[in-house]
Amino acid sequence: MNSTKIKSGPSGAPVRTLFYGMGYIREEIERPLIGIVNSQNEIVPGHMLLDRIAESAKKGVLMAGGTPIEFPAIGICDGIAMGHEGMKYPLASRELIADSIEAMARGHAFDGLVLIPNCDKIVPGMLMAAARLNIPSVVISGGPMRAGFSNGAVLDFNSIMEKLGSYKNGTVTEDELEEVALNACPGCGSCSGLFTANSMNCLTEVLGMGLPYNGTALSDSGERIRLAKMAGIKIMEMVNKDIKPRDILTMDAFRNAITVDMAMAGSTNTVLHLPAIAYEAGIKLPLSTFDELSEKTPYIAKLSPSGTHHMEDLHRAGGIPALMNELSKKDLIIKDCMTVTGLTIGENISEARVRDYSVIMPIEKPYRSKGGLAILRGNLAVDGGVVKESAVSPEMLTHTGPAVVFDSEDAAVTAIAAKKIIKGDVIVIRYEGPKGGPGMREMLGPTSSIAGMGLDKDVALLTDGRFSGATRGASIGHISPEAMNGGLIGLIKDGDIIDIDIPGRKLSVRLSDEEIAKRKEAYIKPEPKVKTGYLARYAKLVTSANTGAVLSID
């Protein structure tokens, strides 16, 4: 249904009178109605300035002959939610965002949508809504913040988390910690490294749902405002040509997104979000696709937390179009995919050139011949586990050590702070998966504390939960099946020997079949951690991490 069916003719008079009551004139009502979905708020740095984007997108819609109508979407800051019970909500909010946009768009028969996110779960939530609704949609993100700087060092959000670990370890003072806190985030925008928000904003561009440079143009730049105006113009072109998200979100588009993800070692959370978006588009995107493409995609852009460059450096070097053009030299990009520009990916990137080969490496001289993420399997992760291989120290690519088991992130953080973890240990944090958490909390606290204490080259961390895009080290997440779903991770005991072989893509625990059977027989499933409210409903419907942690009514 489009707006014409509800607002035109005598039968549309009741709708028109409500619009008249709001001050709309007949000419505005007769134009295509474009929903401007604005997730601006005053609690998320990446969203603080989104009103600027919304106003600019509205101008674009007006210039192109449409009527922009703004409505809100929620957004949670992962950094502020980190390390406490609030972290159960960000991933679960992804579904709330998609559901609320569906309700507003269907309830009011919008002809098209301009979707304005910027941070971790809001970007995939809006893309999921676009795929589900399948009405013309353009995503225009708010853009990354600039990197921070203090005492000769370039900083980002990960800097303060690791400095906190050093403070707890007694190697920096409180004043030194506060100095980093004052400078790590110098302004508004999505955090400046290639963490989850910027990974997803870049991949939105690759998928074809955002304009070129959507992922890298800085939040405080005139270029970002121009992109927002152009997004408003392009949505009208899409409405007029009836170009819909499922025309764009094809399997080839997802393969392009995974390829770029591997080439720049994006956040491990992309392995949750891309399958979830694909699910809404009616496409099955198995973890095996990530491994398949990782095997043949060279790693050519090394950004924080894997390297020292930040989003402003990638943008200056030519952004995602230049990176894709470089990959296309080895025929790694499928060029005939449609995009919101009305052109194909190949046409969008044809003139893009790398302007700084110290940021985007030549395709013939990559950092490594394989992609930045790896999918591990074994008896401990039958359905897979995910690690950012590019951020793992060479010493930890293979590791064998005793398990130190915790039934929650909080218990692990307490033990790490009390210096109960020693070199060689394999920390296991379970019952933090989509169902067991519930909500699959990110665990930047444990990983940054380990790094801050100088143990990231000696200690591994496994979990059925997930990690922040800012995480580095041998941190293996998304272990499936999760403990709450009967996964072997729920049966591990302190001292069990765990074998990690990241190059070999293996993760296993040294237990005989007989011992595993014995433990299963004695196992008592714990009570749900949350029994009321949204999270209780979410836990009953959410699927495994290996399928994108989507909600299923099957």
Side-chain angles (χ1 to χ4, degrees), residues 94-95 128 275-277 279-280 541-544 547-552:
R94 189 184 67 178
E95 271 60 33
M128 290 165 68
I277 299 162
Y279 172 82
E280 296 290 355
L541 297 174
V542 71
T543 64
S544 174
T547 57
V550 297
L551 300 188
S552 175

Side-chain angles (χ1 to χ4, degrees), residues 289-427:
T289 307
F290 289 81
D291 243 358
E292 171 207 337
L293 295 174
S294 182
E295 282 292 315
K296 63 181 183 181
T297 303
Y299 177 33
I300 61 173
K302 197 172 188 178
L303 281 71
S304 176
S306 301
T308 57
H309 295 125
H310 290 81
M311 298 308 295
E312 61 202 72
D313 303 309
L314 179 60
H315 188 64
R316 189 188 69 251
I320 296 301
L323 186 147
M324 293 181 75
N325 194 301
E326 194 69 20
L327 290 170
S328 71
K329 294 177 181 179
K330 295 283 187 180
D331 296 322
L332 295 171
I333 296 297
I334 303 166
K335 293 185 177 181
D336 61 357
C337 294
M338 177 55 64
T339 76
V340 294
T341 65
L343 304 174
T344 65
I345 281 287
E347 291 170 322
N348 283 346
I349 69 173
S350 62
E351 300 300 319
R353 296 292 181 270
V354 176
R355 297 194 291 267
D356 187 344
Y357 275 113
S358 71
V359 178
I360 301 173
M361 298 294 287
I363 194 73
E364 299 85 4
K365 296 180 181 180
Y367 289 108
R368 44 181 282 159
S369 61
K370 296 182 181 181
L373 302 183
I375 308 298
L376 310 187
R377 297 183 188 273
N379 68 350
L380 193 49
V382 175
D383 293 329
V386 183
V387 63
K388 185 180 281 194
E389 184 176 4
S390 61
V392 179
S393 301
E395 300 94 325
M396 291 299 293
L397 289 172
T398 59
H399 179 76
T400 296
V404 184
V405 183
F406 303 96
D407 286 346
S408 70
E409 176 191 5
D410 311 87
V413 168
T414 299
I416 293 168
K419 300 182 179 180
K420 293 183 179 180
I421 303 301
I422 62 174
K423 290 183 177 182
D425 282 347
V426 177
I427 301 170

Side-chain angles (χ1 to χ4, degrees), residues 533-548:
Y534 172 61
L535 284 179
R537 300 194 300 275
Y538 175 86
K540 288 183 178 181
L541 297 174
V542 71
T543 64
S544 174
N546 69 295
T547 57

Side-chain angles (χ1 to χ4, degrees), residues 59-140:
K59 290 177 181 177
V61 171
L62 287 167
M63 283 189 282
T67 297
I69 301 173
E70 183 175 340
F71 65 88
I74 66 168
I76 298 175
C77 179
D78 281 43
I80 295 174
M82 191 82 64
H84 58 91
E85 288 298 299
M87 197 62 215
K88 295 179 183 292
Y89 284 90
L91 181 61
S93 76
R94 189 184 67 178
E95 271 60 33
L96 283 175
I97 291 163
D99 290 351
S100 63
I101 294 171
E102 175 193 355
M104 289 292 289
R106 292 287 188 225
H108 301 103
F110 283 108
D111 298 295
L113 297 174
V114 176
L115 301 156
I116 306 175
N118 209 28
C119 291
D120 292 24
K121 311 309 171 295
I122 303 91
V123 181
M126 289 194 176
L127 284 167
M128 290 165 68
R132 185 189 302 173
L133 289 162
N134 202 33
I135 61 174
S137 302
V138 176
V139 176
I140 171 64

